[in-house]
Amino acid sequence: PDGNVIALVRPTRSNQGEEVCEGVPNSTLYPSTLTGLGETSSSANRLTLLCSDLPTGSMGYVIASRQSGFVANPHGSQGNLCLGGEIGRLIDDMFMAGQDGLATVPLDLRRIPRPIGTVATMAGETWFFQAWHRDDVGGMMTSNFSSAVSVTLTQ
């Protein structure tokens, strides 16, 4: 009314990785998106994953694999699993989305979970990451997946 313009501006970050699979809209009416932030250097070990457009208070965790894949609506999920092969779950780093629909997961590139144990990443490897989160659609509890991102690690 007074001519002032108010805008929400998200800060620019150093995005890492490439989206390999889009998410399916969740109860926010938007798909959640996973982005890598920081450095892709396995030796620097400073890579964080940012998941945006999550339902407020949604809990979840990141999954990781050396392969991409595609499974539509696994186990009744609203979304699609975009990882294949041996998939590890970063359950020690569970997240809860804030009021802004954001959650961050700092990765320990020296200890990426696999189905049996953990492995240290190495330069030249490509890893695929995706967030699996809870959702409430029409009063029914379900789960959904974010977009998936591939990250090729450097020295």
Side-chain angles (χ1 to χ4, degrees), residues 43 47 72 76 84 87 89 92 94 99 106 125 132 139 143-144 146 149:
S43 59
L47 184 62
I87 299 173
R89 300 177 296 165
D92 290 342
M94 289 188 73
Q99 297 245 346
E125 291 182 331
W132 191 3
S143 66
N144 203 332
S146 70
V149 64

Side-chain angles (χ1 to χ4, degrees), residues 51 54-60 95-103:
C51 197
L54 290 162
T56 299
S58 176
M59 295 185 70
F95 60 77
M96 180 183 295
Q99 297 245 346
D100 54 5
L102 299 175

Side-chain angles (χ1 to χ4, degrees), residues 80-142:
N80 301 317
L81 174 62
C82 299
L83 275 56
E86 295 182 350
I87 299 173
R89 300 177 296 165
L90 283 77
I91 56 175
D92 290 342
D93 296 308
M94 289 188 73
F95 60 77
M96 180 183 295
Q99 297 245 346
D100 54 5
L102 299 175
T104 58
V105 176
L107 294 177
D108 183 351
L109 297 174
R110 298 165 300 184
R111 299 182 41 83
I112 297 293
R114 305 292 289 157
I116 300 176
T118 60
V119 297
T121 62
M122 297 188 327
E125 291 182 331
T126 298
W127 282 84
F128 297 84
F129 300 98
Q130 190 172 24
W132 191 3
H133 62 87
R134 300 293 294 165
D135 200 5
D136 182 344
V137 177
M140 298 290 294
M141 289 304 296
T142 186

Side-chain angles (χ1 to χ4, degrees), residues 64-86:
S65 180
R66 289 184 176 134
Q67 296 178 329
S68 64
F70 185 83
V71 178
N73 312 109
H75 302 288
S77 173
Q78 294 295 112
N80 301 317
L81 174 62
C82 299
L83 275 56
E86 295 182 350

